[in-house]
Amino acid sequence: MNKNRSFLTTVLATFLLAIAPALAAAQPKPNILFIVSDDTGYGDLGPYGGGEGRGMPTPNIDRMANEGMTFFSFYAQPSCTPGRAAMQTGRIPNRSGMTTVAFQGQGGGLPAAEWTLASVLKQGGYKTYFTGKWHLGEADYALPNAQGYDEMKYVGLYHLNAYTYADPTWFPDMDPELRAMFQKVTIGSLSGKAGEKAKEDFKINGQYVDKPGQNVTLHGVNYPNGVVGIPYFDAYVEKAAIEFLDDAVKDRSKPFFINLNFMKVHQPNMPAPEFEHKSLSKSKYADSVVELDARIGRIMDKLRALGLDQDTLVVYTTDNGAWQDVYPDAGYTPFRGTKGTVREGGNRVPAIVIMPGKIKAGARNHDIVGGLDLMATFAKVGGVELPKNDREGKPIVFDSIDMSPVLFGTGKSQRKSWFYFTENELSPGAARVGNYKAVFNLRGDDGQATGGLAVDSNLGWKGAEKYVATVPQIFDLWQDPQERYDIFMNNYTERTWTLVTINEEVRKLMKTYVEYPPRKLQSEVYTGPITLSNYQRFQWVRDQLQKEGFNLSLPTGN
């Protein structure tokens, strides 16, 4: 009898080993809910010392932190379009050419050759959906429904300010011809399925008006398909997400990926009427943060009510640091600098990740991670290999590192460095390796001296680029996260040796540009005046190039 049991046990063990790969393959893939807000400050939310203490309670986001993992060294890019491009593609923005903020009328956008979170997850059988702010271009090829998303619903193509340009009550001094141009080129909310041309649902403007689907004339402007004001638009984004979840629960055989992007709290902050003066401080920004928290809470409540929360990886973050040079209509960061700079204040952002039973509740993490890493992470949990070639068949490199060991408690982040870029930079304007950061581009503070008496002007984009000639500023981000004390060399110590590792990381990055050249910039940025002498030199070179056999001589030294 014992021999028979032993034989049966052996047979069963052999059988289980044989079918283990198939069982592993049959394990259901997690759903992914990716929530992104706009310009939310690191210090605005309860888990980061904000919330009620900032006059803007965030009970729903506080609950998310209690149920999941909160990140304290999570990085974005310094402005909207680069930040969203980096998260969608898993590549630093200069690789995709998406380095500048996209405005209406520019056309173009995210290159068709780029992979996105959605197009990669579709390789793993995911149903994909996008709603809310896109800000990655206007061309048909650049829209979500052409970039891997099965459906896009109530999509906004720009930052909120852009919807006020055509409004005569906002800018009564604008030339009528210019206003007419903005009215013509500013696209409203878009919806559509993959393979179809997206259709405009309604226009968006800067008024307290909610009249979709009807012919409306407001302040002399006609809206044939209706108009929804900035205060109401996030309600449509919330509605689209809830409708998607209600539909997704009907068929659990296919995992889903939904990317939900609220338009607030980007300036101008105009809270929905039911949230006006609902914050403790009664300010527009605080009211808008309370609104954001409530809408995120409703999405999370729906996920729980449908019983989807146990099978869904939820990620919440924002696109860039706080835009402090438009204070008080802006978020707060305890760090130096603002949106548009390579300082911590422009790049370090809130992030919370939840998956009950898989991610430890109440966890707090300080590893160097960021929005770039979502591509590799989502691919890993979705059982997809990152592509070796882009969507046009050319070799591609990703800057994304899988965060799943951090999330699921199996290891530390493999990322040791982070690079900070502004719009026109190929080499980074700053680089962090471990706890040390080198700052090469002092944009945003006019190169104000560091030290105990230093005061930032928070100029952001308005500040001039000021590159350090040979010696960067060096900061220890553990002891000095506000980047106040430059320790490259001072009167008590020096950290010149940190450049050995920092330079090596930059060297490895720069080497990748040779094998994987960056794509053409989406749009040109101002990098200084075109002088008469440079124009004349250009003219001379152009004339000489018309002559056969002309070569520019190499420098010969002294």
Side-chain angles (χ1 to χ4, degrees), residues 425-439:
E425 291 176 323
L426 193 61
S427 61
R432 175 180 180 176
V433 179
N435 55 302
Y436 288 105
K437 178 179 179 180
V439 179

Side-chain angles (χ1 to χ4, degrees), residues 497-524:
W497 52 264
T498 58
L499 285 182
V500 174
T501 53
I502 291 172
N503 285 343
E504 176 60 16
E505 289 297 301
V506 174
R507 185 194 68 80
K508 288 190 291 186
L509 168 70
M510 298 301 290
K511 192 176 178 181
T512 66
Y513 295 135
V514 178
E515 188 174 356
Y516 307 99
R519 303 192 195 280
K520 182 179 181 295
L521 284 183
Q522 170 194 263
S523 61
E524 193 75 26

Side-chain angles (χ1 to χ4, degrees), residues 272-294:
E274 64 269 32
F275 292 99
E276 287 188 281
H277 297 162
K278 289 298 187 290
S279 67
L280 299 176
S281 68
K282 315 300 183 190
S283 73
K284 289 183 177 181
Y285 183 84
D287 290 347
S288 295
V289 169
V290 169
E291 177 182 349
L292 171 69
D293 179 78

Side-chain angles (χ1 to χ4, degrees), residues 324-326 335-338 341 444-445 455-460 462:
Q324 292 209 284
D325 53 0
V326 294
F335 304 115
R336 184 174 188 173
T338 178
T341 74
D445 57 7
V455 178
D456 276 332
S457 56
N458 278 339
L459 291 174
K462 292 175 283 190

